[in-house]
Amino acid sequence: MLRVPVRRRGLLKTAAGAAALGMTGNLFSSLAHAADGLVALVHTQAAGDSGPVDSMISKLKQLASEKGFPYRAIYAQDPATYETIFRTLGDAGAAVVVSTFNEVAEPIKAVAPDYPDTKWIQLFADPFEPPMPNVVTVSYDYYLGCYLSGIFASGVSASGKLGFIGGISIPPINADFNAFTAGAKSLRPDVTSTAAFAGSFQDPAKGQEIATQMFSDGIDYIQTDAAATDFGIITAANEEDGRMVSALDPAQFPLGPKSLIAIVGLDFGMSLYNEVSNALGDDWDGGSHVSTGLGTGVIDFVRSPLFEEDGSDALNAKAKEIWPEVEKAKAAILDGSLKVPFNTEL
């Protein structure tokens, strides 16, 4: 009885290895003519998300055109292939390799020392301890934008019931929810906030299921933190008037002109553009960690111009009324007089 699952695991492991080898061969072929000055983006979520990945690819193309370097955007779908892909890029002589999200930290740590002439950038990352001289890690104080969204939500919500849908419960996203709640309660202590997690950043169907249930329970404002899963959340909001969503990226505004009222914008594309530009310069500070917050052009809380045109007049009036409180809190965060806790406990 025990032999069957053992054999199956062995078969799956062999299949994964074969897939990685095939990917490596294809990757070597595509890089053979483009190694000199190559900048590569290895993204672990699929393109077509109208959010982080699409934004990064677009900005990489823009910067490549401006600077005249060859580039590649590579979708690393299977964690078993991360290290292989990184080594392939290192062997090809890539000048800069950018990768995304927490799951690539260990593969980068394993590979980067073997390719000291390649500059490695991890976006959405914790600092490396100890630092590596050819690696820069970048984190985002997204929770500060979520605090502002909470203030805004407290002013526009009729029910006083707020929701938050994340992709996966990890410390920074837990902190985003806690900051969202704190912002709301700073102006309206009686509000309630509920968090749920889809278990994936690429599951719109699950996002729609969770959001539909939240709206049915009387929640009327949901802050998303779920990348491509947001598609389903916005779809659920579009099904009835009075449902509001705050999402992630300006590209999402057309998806819900009457429901997507605002975004806590995290411009991964601009962040990539800034960090790669720095890496291509003479003063790149390898071995460092970059903490990116409000006032950097990467993170901000903004209202949707489409909702201002097409959304409910009553909700737009509420939004306009609460907006000075949002601006006041933002100014206080920037001048240091308001400290928003980074609380990762749920």
Side-chain angles (χ1 to χ4, degrees):
M1 293 293 288
L2 292 176
R3 292 178 183 176
V4 174
V6 170
R7 287 176 179 171
R8 185 170 183 271
R9 281 198 296 269
L11 179 62
L12 290 172
K13 184 176 180 181
T14 301
L21 285 172
M23 178 179 290
T24 302
N26 293 336
L27 194 53
F28 263 127
S29 299
S30 69
L31 297 177
H33 66 286
D36 186 27
L38 174 70
V39 177
L41 166 64
V42 181
H43 52 96
T44 58
Q45 295 175 18
D49 61 353
S50 294
V53 176
D54 287 354
S55 177
M56 286 187 287
I57 293 172
S58 175
K59 282 296 187 179
L60 179 59
K61 289 179 180 178
Q62 177 186 333
L63 188 59
S65 176
E66 293 172 0
K67 301 289 188 181
F69 58 76
Y71 73 92
R72 291 290 183 274
I74 302 156
Y75 178 28
Q77 184 175 10
D78 183 353
T81 68
Y82 294 169
E83 186 171 332
T84 301
I85 291 171
F86 291 151
R87 289 195 180 278
T88 301
L89 291 165
D91 288 338
V96 181
V97 176
V98 186
S99 196
T100 54
F101 310 126
N102 288 325
E103 58 264 31
V104 301
E106 294 307 315
I108 289 177
K109 289 177 183 177
V111 172
D114 296 335
Y115 302 94
D117 294 330
T118 297
K119 296 174 180 178
W120 303 82
I121 301 169
Q122 184 190 353
L123 303 181
F124 200 96
D126 296 322
F128 282 10
E129 296 295 344
M132 292 184 172
N134 60 333
V135 178
V136 164
T137 52
V138 183
S139 64
Y140 304 99
D141 293 337
Y142 193 74
Y143 73 106
L144 299 177
C146 289
Y147 183 89
L148 300 180
S149 177
I151 292 174
F152 183 74
S154 74
V156 298
S157 171
S159 68
K161 295 180 178 181
L162 313 179
F164 178 98
I165 301 176
I168 299 172
S169 177
I170 56 177
I173 292 183
N174 295 347
D176 295 341
F177 166 67
N178 288 326
F180 173 70
T181 302
K185 287 184 175 293
S186 70
L187 263 69
R188 189 173 167 185
D190 64 317
V191 298
T192 60
S193 59
T194 302
F197 300 90
S200 170
F201 292 97
Q202 302 183 82
D203 192 345
K206 188 64 175 179
Q208 183 172 359
E209 176 188 338
I210 295 171
T212 297
Q213 184 61 56
M214 282 187 169
F215 287 129
S216 296
D217 290 342
I219 286 169
D220 58 6
Y221 183 109
I222 295 175
Q223 174 61 53
T224 75
D225 206 345
T229 299
D230 287 359
F231 286 128
I233 301 168
I234 297 168
T235 297
N238 290 339
E239 292 175 352
E240 287 190 21
D241 292 341
R243 296 178 173 183
M244 293 172 282
V245 174
S246 170
L248 174 71
D249 194 280
Q252 296 171 313
F253 286 150
L255 302 178
K258 295 183 179 181
S259 65
L260 206 166
I261 192 169
I263 60 168
V264 179
L266 198 175
D267 194 336
F268 277 92
M270 182 55 67
S271 180
L272 179 145
Y273 185 97
N274 293 342
E275 298 306 325
V276 172
S277 296
N278 290 338
L280 295 174
D282 296 329
D283 299 323
W284 188 64
D285 188 15
S288 63
H289 179 78
V290 179
S291 181
T292 311
L294 294 173
T296 63
V298 174
I299 293 175
D300 204 355
F301 180 68
V302 297
R303 292 172 59 190
S304 166
L306 295 187
F307 190 94
E308 290 183 45
E309 293 179 4
D310 300 329
S312 155
D313 289 341
L315 289 176
N316 274 315
K318 286 185 175 183
K320 185 176 181 181
E321 183 179 352
I322 194 64
W323 196 250
E325 294 294 338
V326 175
E327 293 286 6
K328 178 182 175 182
K330 180 180 176 181
I333 291 171
L334 289 173
D335 69 23
S337 60
L338 173 59
K339 303 291 187 183
V340 179
F342 185 79
N343 177 9
T344 62
E345 298 297 323
L346 290 181

